[in-house]
Amino acid sequence: MSDLLLKRLTPLLIGFVIWGLAVALQVRADLGLSPWDVFHQGLGNHLGIGIGWAGVVTSVGVLLLWIPLRMKPGIGTVLNALVIGPSAEFFLTILDAPENIVVRWAYMLGGILLMSIGSALYLPARLGTGPRDGVMVGLNKKFEFSIRLSRTIVEVLALITGYLLGGTVGLGTLVIALGLGPTVQTCLHARRWLVERLTGVPQSVL
């Protein structure tokens, strides 16, 4: 494995683990989840498995949609499917559900921040889009939908289906929807600093 690939994989993997921690925090906050996590939780309830493992199952299923959309997975796509869910399950085993509403909101907002940091670490790696993002890109390429419309279609369908399956929808869901994008953008601007602090990889090689 080349040094350059290793230096790109390191922040990618750290980003996925951080995203898993973010999911666990928001589950324990019990104030509402992101659209896809609403789906994962609802699916997991019906399959009798945890939200993280349901995320892995969903990733495999979503990747099948890549075939008619003519999308090709990369190593980042596979790692996304295999790392985030188990990471969430691990953190759920060590995190208790707080009763204090202030702490619950701290979990929720902390989860949004960690999702943004995780995104800023793995999105620029260019090692393949995540399974769900690949569907969004595929719709854009195949049907010439805008990225915004494609993302809206995919996430609304995930949210509605997840809610019908019993996933947690609440005020936190709205906060995630409104707050995640701007926070990710801010963290992307700080990505070089983040990578250097979290991995020790010098900014000059990024």
Side-chain angles (χ1 to χ4, degrees), residues 16-17 19-25 27-28 37 40-41 44-45 48-57 82-95:
F16 289 156
V17 173
W19 188 281
L21 172 57
V23 171
L25 284 170
V27 170
R28 291 298 185 232
D37 287 327
H40 298 154
Q41 188 182 58
N45 289 341
I49 57 179
I51 186 174
W53 301 121
V56 175
V57 172
L82 297 179
V83 174
I84 294 179
S87 296
E89 288 295 325
F90 168 75
F91 289 116
L92 283 169
T93 65
I94 61 176
L95 285 171

Side-chain angles (χ1 to χ4, degrees), residues 40 43 53-67 77-78 80-82 131-132 135:
H40 298 154
L43 179 65
W53 301 121
V56 175
V57 172
T58 301
S59 295
V60 174
V62 169
L63 282 173
L64 295 177
L65 297 177
W66 283 37
I67 299 172
T77 308
V78 176
N80 181 297
L82 297 179
R132 297 150 193 77
V135 173

